[in-house]
Amino acid sequence: MLRCDGDRVVIVGGGIAGALLAKTLQNHADVVLIDPKEYFEIPWANVRAKVEPTVVERTVIPHADYLTDAKVVTASAVGVDDSVVLTSIGRTVGYDFLVIATGRTCTRPQSRSDRLEMFHRDKDRIAAASSVLIIGGGPIGVELAAEIIMDSPDKRVTLVHGGPRLLMVMSPRASAKALEWLRSKNVTVLLDQTIDIDLAGTGDGYDGQRDFTTSAGETVSADCHFVCTGRPVASGWLRGTFLGEYIDADGRLVVDEHLRVGRLKNVFAIGDITDVPEAKQGYLAQRHAMVVSRNLRLLLRSAGPEHKLHRYKASKAAITVTLGRRDAVSELPFMSLIGHIPGVVKPRDLYVSRTRRMMGIKGKNGES
């Protein structure tokens, strides 16, 4: 068991939020990161990486590259009580402060090399296919359809979405603009239809031509398919614990204005697992991490009375969905935009360089 001496911060989950929190706290506390992977990913670059795998070398980053003064336990958390986290390898980790950052359920290989290989396989499968089926019309599905059709305009791309409109996290006007853009590029979009994911198979890839039947009875022939539907929140491991009472009907942890779980003094949550009423986007998860980092530093100095803790205010910031290398659709407070202008706002490298700078990571030649 890893024992604690008063300043142990255990972070469960090494995604974009948990990784940043561990990075910013490692020189202020005894930090332990529990994560089943040996790396974290910059998630908003994953779609681009399916058609341009060279991007992945800078977006799949070993924990060891930025955690120079923290411990990493490569395992999943399977249980927790008021002082200890139990891991899937049978190891227990004591904590003084606990941060839950497990996001959404997601199966990823443990090693970085295996993850990179997955992206290269996706590239090869898309390249070999003349037709591609995308299941799910949220931001990931729309971005993937756009990346593929802009990279290979001759491919036959079909997007099947179970809702009445694309991009339900955005306004109807933004959804309509995205639909019009996709159809102008000859992407076939089928709304209010589903495909049985169990029959389709959760493994994405090149299968040779297959016929898929939608809930409306339409047949879609495709060589390659990707499942881009929403994944459930990764809170199941908490249900039988003392934190189970703070899980809401959607599986999210109820947090207060300081991002503490149920006003517990030493347990926080950040990222998609929280019930903060805002779009679940990576850059907002990073904001969660920075607020909790400041609060924990106050508490670790024993100078953090409740009225001095930093508060997090749910964001109403713009949502931008990229449409290939140049275009994007953006939801602003009073309007929606589509085309090159919102595309310019989001850098060509999808904020990868900025994120690497935040994590203190330098390349071989000193660049971020």
Side-chain angles (χ1 to χ4, degrees), residues 118-247:
M118 287 180 67
F119 282 106
H120 285 287
R121 285 199 304 269
D122 284 341
K123 166 66 173 176
D124 292 342
R125 289 162 176 165
I126 293 171
S130 60
S131 53
V132 180
L133 168 64
I134 297 169
I135 304 171
I140 294 175
V142 169
E143 289 189 345
L144 181 57
E147 289 285 350
I148 292 172
I149 203 65
M150 295 304 290
D151 194 61
S152 304
D154 294 334
K155 288 194 188 296
R156 191 170 71 253
V157 178
T158 303
L159 190 156
V160 177
H161 181 57
R165 61 184 179 88
L166 301 173
L167 301 174
M168 296 294 288
V169 297
M170 303 178 80
S171 71
R173 180 171 294 182
S175 296
K177 289 178 182 292
L179 177 63
E180 181 182 6
W181 188 95
L182 288 172
R183 286 179 170 166
S184 75
K185 308 300 181 187
N186 296 318
V187 174
T188 300
V189 180
L190 304 179
L191 298 175
D192 280 321
Q193 299 187 48
T194 60
I195 289 178
D196 190 319
I197 295 175
D198 292 330
L199 293 178
T202 56
D204 301 326
Y206 177 72
D207 307 304
Q209 191 172 65
R210 289 178 55 187
D211 289 337
F212 299 83
T213 304
T214 74
S215 56
E218 291 197 47
T219 298
V220 179
S221 296
D223 300 323
C224 178
H225 76 279
F226 292 92
V227 179
C228 300
T229 52
R231 302 187 307 272
V233 178
S235 59
W237 67 283
L238 296 170
R239 289 193 179 278
T241 74
F242 80 111
L243 296 177
E245 64 179 290
Y246 305 113
I247 299 175

Side-chain angles (χ1 to χ4, degrees), residues 67-116:
L67 291 179
T68 57
D69 196 21
K71 303 178 185 70
V72 178
V73 176
T74 306
S76 299
V78 296
V80 63
D81 63 22
D82 61 1
S83 62
V84 168
V85 177
L86 175 64
T87 70
S88 58
I89 57 175
R91 188 175 181 179
T92 57
V93 184
Y95 67 86
D96 298 297
F97 296 94
L98 175 66
V99 184
I100 309 295
T102 44
R104 297 178 180 274
T105 57
C106 190
T107 302
R108 294 282 186 262
Q110 179 176 311
S111 75
R112 178 178 185 265
S113 61
D114 287 345
R115 182 61 174 140
L116 295 180

Side-chain angles (χ1 to χ4, degrees), residues 55-56 68 81 117 139 205 273 292 360-361 365:
V55 170
V56 184
T68 57
D81 63 22
E117 179 59 28
I273 201 169
V292 170
I361 298 167
N365 300 317

